[in-house]
Amino acid sequence: MQACLARLYLDELFRRLLARDPESALQAYGLSAEEEAAIRELDATRLEFFATSLKNKRRKRIARAFPLLFRVAADEVEHQYNRYHALYMPKSRRSIHQDVLDFGEFIEDSLAIAPGIPPWACDVARYERLLYATTYTHQADTDTSSGATTVSISSRPRLCEDAYVAEFQYDIASIEDALRDGEERGLEPSPCAIVSRAKTPTAEARVLRINGPTLAVLRHCDGRQRLEGIITEVEADFGTTGLKQGVFEAVTRLANANVLVIEPEASTTGPSPRSVADAPHERPTLTRECK
Amino acid sequence: MNPENQATAGPLSSIPALGSGIGFRRELKQDILDARDEIDFIEVVTEQYLTDSNQLTELEELRDIFPIVPHGVRLSIGSAALDQEYLRAIKLVSDTCRAPYYSEHLAVTRAPGIEIGHLSPLWFTEAVLEQTVNNVLRVQDTLGKPLILENITYLFDIPRATMTQTEFLGRLVESTGCGILLDLTNLYTNATNHDFDPLAALDGLPLDKVVQLHLAGGYWSQGILIDAHCEPVAQGTWALLEALANRVQVKACILEHDDNFPDHFSVLSDQVRRAREFVERRRVEEPYGP
């Protein structure tokens, strides 16, 4: 009974089917005669009103998370939200934040093939998803902000659980500034990368723009490789040598910014290997399609 | 009644009078802190403290300033089965608040595999009552304190119920020793939308089990009064508060305001002050205590 009611509240097509062919609509629910009669006698007008209020409530939560995106392509985003609501019922035992992040992935995929949308709209969707994840999906992790972190050549740095990395086709910082100023100008592709770190008891949330070499260093910080190995890998990436100092400084800077965690050197087992895109449960994979 | 459970939860009569307060919302945080002398206690939404452990720190800081009561929205007490993981999580918040009770809604918010996303009505039948009684006992046993349940607004009845919401709530209270969070705005809203006498409904409740009140203001949409927590409390709700205060001592009252925040906090604090007059009416005449 409750499963049937919940679906009626959230699924417009199911409500239509109930109105036209109640026997077919209800056959999968194994309802008693009394339960079936109760469902059939529901006030359809009030039920529709309630269903609309649920849909609007969900939309409001999502619109708050993607304010720039709703400004960039309002009609298309509304259209895609209607699709999203029709296709995906909120799942139990998942946080409302995860629903917002799921929409972020959905809209990014959808806008990529939608006609007449600015090519940088997908970047805006990804950026706002990054900000939301940074703000609302805190994962407990070692808080390294209590003092300067000591990095040595045998350190094994890894991305902090609270940190997210995303790459963009366009200069997302300029786009954000332009949109906040009410401008919508033509933009040329200008790849960039952002790393963000969630707020912790002792550190504020932060979003940092990183350059290509820093991103290359970050990609190798999986908690398994020692710094000396990372230096070798980065030098191979760039086809050069003599990057030891630069890599060392980049890792130190990122560790002091609480983006990287430095695993103890004495540990022989180390943490589970994890790449930037290996997301734990309910953690968005923001590097998923960024190449 | 389950004597074992009642021993765990403690009698409702031992719950102290908390006074007149406001629902804590982050948008109002600074205003609430600035007006701390005008606010007797605050109510926090439990779910805001479940996903981010950092926020428990905020809760502890607030607890040093105000008495706090936690108010949940996703327990789904009317569901066939409770979510154990959720129950463990709310206990942490409940314990952090150190409140004398925990409050929730008499509602269904979850069905197998589906999160409804809002409070939906129970089907008021004997079978649902039995399962809800079991759920309440389990929650009280887990939390180690009384659960108090709020009457919700409903846009439609689920047909073929065998009792009213008032009867259902009364029997639930009798069977479990839980208390009532009487939302007077919800009562007024339901009476308006479903055309019944709110005073008769009030008299149908075990008023001695009312532990806390909610007040809020809504708006009209398509001929339906919506409980939206975004407007000042309506006169009809104040009248119900007056009627209630004439019947029993009001121990605790929370003003809920979640949206369309006024430019001046005094719009809200004035309503908190007005509610306090009713809370204190009988406290002066009949001081509460052992």
Side-chain angles (χ1 to χ4, degrees):
Chain A
M1 177 76 165
Q2 287 181 349
C4 182
L5 282 168
R7 187 170 173 198
L8 280 172
Y9 300 155
L10 293 166
D11 186 342
E12 184 182 352
L13 290 179
F14 187 57
R15 291 195 298 278
R16 284 192 201 172
L17 181 62
L18 179 71
R20 291 186 184 182
D21 184 0
E23 199 170 315
S24 297
L26 300 178
Q27 67 179 359
Y29 287 93
L31 302 175
S32 68
E34 192 70 4
E35 288 172 332
E36 189 169 323
I39 297 279
R40 286 179 183 230
E41 291 168 15
L42 282 166
D43 182 326
T45 304
R46 290 288 180 98
L47 176 63
E48 201 59 43
F49 194 99
F50 182 59
T52 302
S53 74
L54 294 180
K55 182 179 176 182
N56 290 343
K57 187 177 178 184
R58 191 181 190 190
R59 180 206 171 277
K60 191 174 177 181
R61 195 157 49 226
I62 285 171
R64 276 185 185 147
F66 295 91
L68 296 177
L69 188 63
F70 272 77
R71 200 184 303 173
V72 168
D75 291 346
E76 184 63 27
V77 176
E78 292 288 354
H79 168 67
Q80 295 299 344
Y81 170 71
N82 290 336
R83 274 188 66 226
Y84 178 76
H85 186 71
L87 286 170
Y88 304 108
M89 276 187 240
K91 291 179 183 171
S92 59
R93 295 190 174 85
R94 292 193 101 194
S95 73
I96 54 173
H97 300 312
Q98 191 56 41
D99 187 43
V100 172
L101 295 171
D102 287 348
F103 174 78
E105 288 193 12
F106 174 87
I107 192 72
E108 195 180 325
D109 289 348
S110 302
L111 292 182
I113 57 168
I117 301 299
W120 36 269
C122 290
D123 274 5
V124 173
R126 185 179 305 137
Y127 181 62
E128 293 197 307
R129 183 159 58 96
L130 172 83
L131 295 184
Y132 191 87
T134 302
T135 307
Y136 291 109
T137 60
H138 173 76
Q139 306 282 331
D141 204 345
T142 309
D143 189 357
T144 58
S145 60
S146 54
T149 307
T150 304
V151 179
S152 76
I153 201 72
S154 55
S155 296
R156 288 182 289 104
R158 66 169 171 85
L159 190 67
C160 179
E161 294 287 351
D162 300 331
Y164 302 94
V165 181
E167 294 172 64
F168 301 90
Q169 303 277 357
Y170 291 80
D171 182 345
I172 191 65
S174 296
I175 294 173
E176 183 185 23
D177 289 345
L179 289 173
R180 293 204 189 281
D181 292 342
E183 298 174 24
E184 286 195 30
R185 54 184 180 234
L187 291 162
E188 293 300 317
S190 174
C192 72
I194 298 281
V195 60
S196 70
R197 171 72 158 87
K199 185 178 180 179
T200 70
T202 54
E204 291 298 313
R206 60 177 64 187
V207 175
L208 307 169
R209 183 180 169 137
I210 55 175
N211 59 24
T214 303
L215 179 62
V217 172
L218 209 46
R219 282 198 187 119
H220 293 293
C221 294
D222 58 6
R224 192 173 43 179
Q225 286 203 84
R226 296 184 189 281
L227 189 54
E228 56 191 344
I230 292 171
I231 292 165
T232 305
E233 297 270 4
V234 173
E235 288 179 341
D237 288 347
F238 288 93
T240 186
T241 56
L243 298 181
K244 179 179 176 181
Q245 189 61 27
V247 172
F248 195 89
E249 287 174 1
V251 168
T252 303
R253 201 166 51 246
L254 291 168
N256 286 331
N258 293 315
V259 171
L260 289 176
V261 172
I262 306 301
E263 294 294 343
E265 296 170 36
S267 170
T268 52
T269 52
S272 312
R274 185 173 78 84
S275 72
V276 169
D278 282 340
H281 179 61
E282 293 207 349
R283 183 167 179 274
T285 55
L286 289 159
T287 58
R288 191 171 54 88
E289 301 164 354
C290 303
K291 300 293 191 309
Chain B
M1 187 174 300
N2 180 331
E4 189 180 326
N5 183 269
Q6 221 193 8
T8 306
L12 296 176
S13 59
S14 68
I15 294 174
L18 293 173
S20 183
I22 191 166
F24 179 79
R25 307 291 180 263
R26 297 240 157 76
E27 294 88 339
L28 297 173
K29 181 174 182 177
Q30 195 53 52
D31 288 322
I32 288 173
L33 292 175
D34 290 345
R36 63 183 70 182
D37 293 341
E38 302 173 60
I39 295 166
D40 299 326
F41 76 113
I42 59 173
E43 180 188 78
V44 295
V45 176
T46 304
E47 282 68 14
Q48 293 196 342
Y49 301 90
L50 295 183
T51 55
D52 185 346
S53 57
N54 288 339
Q55 299 301 343
L56 286 177
T57 307
E58 177 186 64
L59 208 50
E60 289 166 350
E61 290 167 358
L62 289 170
R63 192 189 61 202
D64 292 339
I65 301 169
F66 302 101
I68 302 178
V69 292
H71 183 52
V73 296
R74 293 176 74 187
L75 177 61
S76 201
I77 197 73
S79 283
L82 293 173
D83 180 341
Q84 281 307 301
E85 192 180 335
Y86 175 85
L87 209 49
R88 279 192 292 274
I90 66 172
K91 178 168 171 51
L92 183 59
V93 175
S94 173
D95 289 348
T96 303
C97 289
R98 297 179 190 165
Y101 55 85
Y102 185 85
S103 70
E104 248 289 352
H105 300 84
L106 183 60
V108 171
T109 60
R110 191 184 65 251
I114 302 172
E115 194 72 37
I116 295 170
H118 197 63
L119 309 166
S120 73
L122 275 65
W123 194 26
F124 298 120
T125 62
E126 293 293 335
V128 174
L129 177 63
E130 185 181 341
Q131 108 195 344
T132 308
V133 165
N134 290 334
N135 286 344
V136 170
L137 293 174
R138 196 159 168 190
V139 171
Q140 293 189 146
D141 192 44
T142 302
L143 299 182
K145 59 182 65 169
L147 179 66
I148 70 168
L149 289 171
E150 175 180 345
N151 56 310
I152 67 165
T153 56
Y154 51 96
L155 288 169
F156 53 89
D157 290 300
I158 300 176
R160 303 200 176 216
T162 56
M163 62 191 98
T164 64
Q165 184 187 69
T166 302
E167 290 170 312
F168 189 97
L169 193 51
R171 286 183 59 188
L172 187 61
V173 165
E174 186 184 348
S175 300
T176 64
C178 76
I180 297 174
L181 194 175
L182 180 58
D183 189 316
L184 290 172
T185 300
N186 289 352
L187 176 58
Y188 173 70
T189 303
N190 288 334
T192 303
N193 289 337
H194 300 279
D195 197 25
F196 64 80
D197 178 5
L199 287 177
L202 199 64
D203 287 331
L205 287 167
L207 296 181
D208 59 323
K209 307 298 184 191
V210 174
V211 174
Q212 187 194 310
L213 305 181
H214 270 170
L215 302 174
Y219 64 88
W220 287 90
S221 174
Q222 299 175 48
I224 296 174
L225 183 55
I226 305 295
D227 165 43
H229 301 179
C230 63
E231 298 293 335
V233 176
Q235 187 49 44
T237 302
W238 287 117
L240 278 178
L241 177 56
E242 170 117 44
L244 180 70
N246 287 336
R247 287 162 169 76
V248 291
Q249 184 209 327
V250 177
K251 288 182 177 178
C253 185
I254 283 287
L255 174 73
E256 295 182 292
H257 198 100
D258 303 343
D259 207 348
N260 189 28
F261 294 102
D263 291 337
H264 300 289
F265 187 68
S266 60
V267 172
L268 304 181
S269 60
D270 285 351
Q271 295 174 83
V272 172
R273 190 179 308 114
R274 184 174 175 183
R276 184 179 295 109
E277 292 169 14
F278 296 99
V279 175
E280 292 182 341
R281 180 180 290 182
R282 286 196 182 216
R283 284 172 73 184
V284 175
E285 297 163 10
E286 303 169 20
Y288 180 79

